[in-house]
Amino acid sequence: MTALLGYQAALLARSQRWLPPLILYVAFLGIGVQGGQPILDSLGYTAAALLPVAAWLVRICVTNEPPAARSCVAVAVGPGRAHLAALLVALATAVALGVVATVAVTLISHSASADNQTHLSRLAAGAAGLLATAACALLGTAVGALTTWPVLRSTGRAVPTMLLAALLSVVVTGSPAQAAVSGLVTGSRSGTVPMPVLPLAAAALLTAAAIAAACALTSRRSP
């Protein structure tokens, strides 16, 4: 599995297809986050903006190989394992991107509540932001896994579905990503630092199920 992960990571790095989602994420943060803003609000925005980027990275990793190369890898190691490696590399890339952004936002933000009346621990806020970021990266990976090949084969249907699912995952009540982000925003208003452990656990379970379903379906469908 290590060799597969290295292969998929090398494909992603050499393709330079990661540049557009990276630029999109930086643009999101440049618009929505500024130095001196309340820390939890900024961290919530940082986490939410990562979700569609994670879904996009999944689509990039899954479609990086030409069909012939994908078939060769599938024959050598099994289609399920080959697909799993692509999904895990996308998730790891999204998490790494989110961690860097969260640390940077934690350092430049004002460690206070939304009304500037309550001081908040920068370390605790950063930890809460990392949990929320991980939840959004996981759910974005789930969205990507369920809206690209082999679940949806048509690009014309897959891309709009991915965008809509990513948006709904951020705003619909009951979504782990929405719970994690809204928890940070609510904490900023109340002057407390919530730890979104339950949303993270729910996102992990949903993502594991989505990845398992996508990998199982990969074994039944040819590229």
Side-chain angles (χ1 to χ4, degrees), residues 33 53 78 81 98 108 124 129 148 153 161 166 186 191 206 217:
V33 177
V53 173
R81 292 187 66 195
I108 67 172
T148 189
R153 303 202 223 187
T161 302
T186 301
L206 288 173
L217 190 57

Side-chain angles (χ1 to χ4, degrees), residues 16-124:
Q16 297 186 355
R17 294 176 66 192
W18 49 268
L19 275 173
L22 174 62
I23 293 171
L24 175 66
Y25 192 46
V26 171
F28 275 159
L29 298 185
I31 294 171
V33 177
Q34 297 179 1
Q37 291 180 330
I39 188 168
L40 290 178
D41 290 331
S42 295
L43 289 172
Y45 184 90
T46 302
L50 182 64
L51 197 152
V53 173
W56 192 354
L57 286 169
V58 168
R59 181 166 185 81
I60 289 172
C61 288
V62 169
T63 59
N64 248 342
E65 297 171 281
R70 187 187 304 138
S71 297
C72 290
V73 175
V75 169
V77 301
R81 292 187 66 195
H83 196 67
L84 176 61
L87 296 177
L88 291 180
V89 167
L91 173 59
T93 303
V95 169
L97 182 59
V99 168
V100 172
T102 299
V103 171
V105 170
T106 300
L107 293 176
I108 67 172
S109 298
H110 182 42
S111 55
S113 59
D115 59 7
N116 291 320
Q117 298 300 311
T118 305
H119 174 76
L120 301 176
S121 168
R122 194 179 296 273
L123 182 61

Side-chain angles (χ1 to χ4, degrees), residues 68 92 137 155 181:
T155 302
V181 172

Side-chain angles (χ1 to χ4, degrees), residues 96-179:
L97 182 59
V99 168
V100 172
T102 299
V103 171
V105 170
T106 300
L107 293 176
I108 67 172
S109 298
H110 182 42
S111 55
S113 59
D115 59 7
N116 291 320
Q117 298 300 311
T118 305
H119 174 76
L120 301 176
S121 168
R122 194 179 296 273
L123 182 61
L130 286 174
L131 294 178
T133 295
C136 289
L138 283 165
L139 204 59
T141 301
V143 168
L146 296 177
T147 57
T148 189
W149 186 89
V151 181
L152 295 178
R153 303 202 223 187
S154 169
T155 302
R157 288 184 297 170
V159 172
T161 302
M162 181 187 73
L163 295 174
L164 178 60
L167 174 62
L168 293 177
S169 297
V170 175
V171 302
V172 170
T173 301
S175 162
Q178 191 274 343

